[in-house]
Amino acid sequence: TERGAEAAAEHYLAVATYAWNTGDTAAIAALSDDASGFAQSLINKIDADYSNGWVYGKSLAIDHVLLLEPVPANGSDVPPNTIGVKCSGKQITVHDKEYQSTISLFMTWRENRWIETQGRAEANER
């Protein structure tokens, strides 16, 4: 259901926060489609940060869901059973500065579980 996709997206972002703070990207990779450029970019950024040291204090708090709707399959990059989840939140960095952002995720029901198939994060202008 759409609510299931929303809960899966919230879990995905919690796992991403865990990955940023531990360097352990296995769980975020397991929740993402292998072809997801968003996930690969996120994993690469985390791996690069941890190759030079470590990171702490990153978190993501979702303020509210802006959009939750089925996305029609297009035979190309949107598979069947995909729900678009768009939410706004605060991304907090180690320097105690909050950044508002909008995160859009395509969550796809495949093999009896939700996976992220596409994503995008945009900083909101102040």
Side-chain angles (χ1 to χ4, degrees):
T1 66
E2 291 170 359
R3 176 61 191 122
E6 179 182 7
E10 290 170 357
H11 177 68
Y12 186 85
L13 296 176
V15 170
T17 297
Y18 168 81
W20 271 116
N21 287 292
T22 65
D24 179 1
T25 58
I28 199 76
L31 294 172
S32 304
D33 185 84
D34 292 340
S36 170
F38 177 78
Q40 290 306 312
S41 176
L42 177 62
I43 290 167
N44 290 343
K45 286 177 187 175
I46 293 168
D47 288 346
D49 283 349
Y50 279 86
S51 72
N52 296 315
W54 48 276
V55 178
Y56 70 95
K58 290 203 177 206
S59 66
L60 180 65
I62 297 172
D63 292 331
H64 61 281
V65 174
L66 303 170
L67 179 71
L68 182 64
E69 67 183 16
V71 180
N74 64 10
S76 167
D77 62 343
V78 180
N81 305 315
T82 297
I83 305 288
V85 182
K86 187 173 190 177
C87 49
S88 70
K90 293 181 207 119
Q91 191 170 8
I92 303 170
T93 68
V94 69
H95 302 293
D96 295 327
K97 293 181 183 177
E98 287 187 0
Y99 297 93
Q100 293 281 20
S101 59
T102 300
I103 298 172
S104 302
L105 297 172
F106 280 9
M107 303 303 295
T108 301
W109 183 255
R110 184 185 300 155
E111 299 175 4
N112 295 321
R113 67 186 186 108
W114 290 104
I115 62 166
E116 177 272 337
T117 52
Q118 287 187 47
R120 183 176 188 181
E122 300 174 64
N124 296 348
E125 298 296 321
R126 289 188 176 230

